[in-house]
Amino acid sequence: MKRVPVVELSDCILCEMCTDICPKVFTMNENGYVQVEPLDTYPRGEVDEVIKNCPVDCIQWEEQP
Ligand code: SF4
């Protein structure tokens, strides 16, 4: 099982906090939406910080096979 951060795009207000704080994980794609980069492992502390600070609480960890 792998822990991956997932963004609920329908709630995201594109404040860009996540892409500013943790740009190796969260980027803006060409359509103007936040995207989670495909990484083997995610920096837990940094992602937890972003999750805590997202103003609309739309990022969460998901377990993936
Ligand atoms: S911090 Fe939350 S609301 Fe802001 S851009 Fe990232 S996912 Fe969207």
Side-chain angles (χ1 to χ4, degrees):
M1 282 292 204
K2 180 170 150 184
R3 285 184 103 205
V4 178
V6 174
V7 176
E8 179 50 63
L9 290 176
S10 58
D11 291 335
C12 172
I13 57 170
L14 300 172
C15 72
E16 298 188 33
M17 183 280 292
C18 55
T19 55
D20 282 349
I21 289 190
C22 196
K24 58 181 177 244
V25 174
F26 301 96
T27 55
M28 283 288 173
N29 65 24
E30 73 254 20
N31 298 320
Y33 292 109
V34 173
Q35 139 181 326
V36 175
E37 292 298 312
L39 302 177
D40 288 335
T41 55
Y42 291 91
R44 188 163 293 200
E46 279 177 47
V47 172
D48 279 343
E49 192 64 23
V50 168
I51 288 174
K52 199 171 74 187
N53 287 299
C54 171
V56 292
D57 215 10
C58 71
I59 311 168
Q60 59 183 10
W61 286 111
E62 219 171 80
E63 303 278 350
Q64 289 185 359

